Amino acid sequence: MDLADLTRELETLRADALAAIAGAPDSATLEALELDVLGKKGRLTTVLRGIGALPPDDRPKVGAVANAVRGAIESALAERGAEVRSTELAARLAAEAVDVTTPGRPVRRGTLHPSIEAMREIAEIFEQFGFVTYESPEIEDDRTNFQMLNIPPDHPARDLWDTLYVDVEGKLLRTHTSPGQIRVMQAERPPIRALLPGRCFRYEAVDASHASEFFQVEGLMIDEGTTMADLKGLLDQFAKAMFGADKRTRFRPGYYPFTEPSVAFDVECLVCGGSGCPACGRSGWMTILGAGMVHPVVLQYGGLDPERYQGFAFGMGPERIKMLKHGITDLRLFLENDLRFLEQFR
Ligand code: PHE
């Protein structure tokens, strides 16, 4: 092969390559072409192998042609490459296009269980009076659930709480949140303003107003010089915030072993406004909670000196509050998990 042959071959290579590049439909073809023509084992390298056989004077001439051919192919590759890439991008954008005007698929939102919602509403009100929420165990010991609340073993007052026992000596499922009073007193120094929401358990025959599982919210306030008037004022504010600012309230005498005196706290009937109707048993009042001044014996069990500290406690059923507020007549709805009922809450 002489100079003319080599030059011709280079020109043929250029013409072939430029034609192939111009006709390449996509970037994959272009990449294959680049490798085939300019790659280490490509056609250009193969042609240039012939240079060694030429007289030294001719070599630079072939070199110059080869460089021009390489330059032409490279710029053709770059130019066609830009074209196909922009076509490919446009095709991809069209294929992956999102119609932003399509209406969204609705996401099903859960709602709070009405018992939980009621406890939050209660806590939101008492938080404004400086009450802090505490947790207390669901599996209690007999001592804290009863004895330290002034209910000795075999005392007839135990009949007020039909108890579910656990298979561990001295342990039971708490029948009320009141043992939380003892735990808070043991953990904190007065002034104490504690709220104790939680699940309680009783051995009950289930009907429209009794469940073996339900919630309570316990309240406890202890300080020097706390009086029954503080209790009445606080509960009155609570009832107005929960049921309406125009609602009248009253105390009635009650009995609990751990409070002395003990009261039942009533709000005027939410259905008839006090004139008497079937919903309030024609009394005009609805009982919303039990309360009283913490018994001195209980303060002592809590490690507090009853000569120095006084306090009050109250306990209410959030389900009962919800039932009164919304005219729900069957407590079992709270445990049946019927979505038609549950979805009506926030
Ligand atoms: N623990 C009582 C009950 O279960 C309610 C209560 C709490 C009463 C605090 C007085 C004071 O019925």
Side-chain angles (χ1 to χ4, degrees):
M1 270 221 248
D2 61 10
L3 173 60
D5 293 333
L6 268 180
T7 308
R8 211 178 319 108
E9 269 196 52
L10 284 171
E11 293 304 343
T12 309
L13 178 58
R14 179 201 326 237
D16 286 355
L18 292 185
I21 290 167
D26 52 38
S27 46
T29 311
L30 278 177
E31 276 162 34
L33 270 171
E34 178 167 9
L35 201 67
D36 181 47
V37 178
L38 302 179
K40 249 191 212 156
K41 293 176 187 158
R43 285 158 64 195
L44 185 60
T45 317
T46 312
V47 175
L48 291 178
R49 255 189 229 124
I51 282 186
L54 294 182
D57 280 358
D58 288 344
R59 292 177 194 169
K61 293 174 190 159
V62 178
V65 176
N67 282 341
V69 168
R70 173 183 287 277
I73 293 172
E74 279 173 350
S75 51
L77 280 170
E79 206 176 301
R80 181 68 188 143
E83 275 169 28
V84 297
R85 274 193 303 275
S86 83
T87 317
E88 283 164 0
L89 180 62
R92 195 174 146 196
L93 287 177
E96 293 177 5
V98 173
D99 180 357
V100 294
T101 65
T102 307
R105 265 179 296 250
V107 177
R108 257 180 84 98
R109 282 191 59 188
T111 53
L112 287 180
H113 188 279
S115 302
I116 306 295
E117 183 185 60
M119 288 192 284
R120 291 210 184 166
E121 286 166 356
I122 294 162
E124 274 163 25
I125 294 169
F126 282 103
E127 272 161 17
Q128 298 177 45
F129 299 119
F131 279 69
V132 174
T133 298
Y134 291 81
E135 263 188 297
S136 187
E138 290 178 357
I139 297 177
E140 258 302 358
D141 35 72
D142 188 280
R143 216 173 124 65
T144 321
N145 193 82
F146 288 125
Q147 296 168 44
M148 294 167 106
L149 291 170
N150 199 28
I151 312 167
D154 304 319
H155 191 279
R158 291 223 176 185
D159 288 351
L160 293 173
W161 297 275
D162 291 313
T163 308
L164 288 160
Y165 290 89
V166 180
D167 232 356
V168 178
E169 176 68 24
K171 296 275 185 191
L172 45 76
L173 296 181
R174 66 173 171 202
T175 57
H176 50 177
T177 43
S178 297
Q181 291 183 33
I182 300 287
R183 294 187 177 272
V184 171
M185 283 185 237
Q186 289 172 340
E188 305 283 359
R189 293 287 89 195
I192 291 172
R193 268 174 287 183
L195 212 59
L196 290 141
R199 200 186 287 274
C200 304
F201 307 86
R202 284 184 202 173
Y203 184 61
E204 294 277 2
V206 175
D207 64 23
S209 53
H210 295 87
S212 50
E213 234 178 272
F214 52 92
F215 287 94
Q216 280 193 343
V217 179
E218 190 88 7
L220 177 69
M221 171 154 171
I222 295 177
D223 203 350
E224 293 178 26
T226 307
T227 70
M228 195 90 172
D230 298 322
L231 173 60
K232 177 97 198 322
L234 179 74
L235 292 182
D236 192 51
Q237 287 304 309
F238 165 70
K240 287 178 160 54
M242 180 60 84
F243 299 109
D246 56 334
K247 296 287 177 288
R248 289 171 300 140
T249 61
R250 72 172 184 188
F251 270 172
R252 276 185 300 122
Y255 172 71
Y256 299 100
F258 36 87
T259 46
E260 181 58 36
S262 302
V263 294
F265 180 66
D266 297 350
V267 64
E268 70 177 43
C269 177
L270 303 169
V271 177
C272 65
S275 54
C277 70
C280 55
R282 318 220 165 265
S283 72
W285 298 93
M286 290 175 154
T287 302
I288 57 171
L289 56 83
M293 300 305 291
V294 180
H295 197 291
V297 164
V298 176
L299 288 170
Q300 268 163 346
Y301 276 124
L304 299 174
D305 176 5
E307 294 296 324
R308 177 160 178 209
Y309 296 111
Q310 298 75 42
F312 57 73
F314 53 87
M316 68 184 98
E319 286 92 1
R320 180 166 171 76
I321 303 261
K322 266 277 181 260
M323 288 171 78
L324 294 177
K325 222 175 148 167
H326 300 295
I328 301 163
T329 51
D330 197 326
L331 178 61
R332 285 168 291 200
L333 285 166
F334 289 82
L335 289 159
E336 282 168 351
N337 285 335
D338 185 333
L339 285 178
R340 290 168 303 177
F341 173 67
L342 298 178
E343 278 175 347
Q344 300 177 56
F345 302 89
R346 88 178 151 180

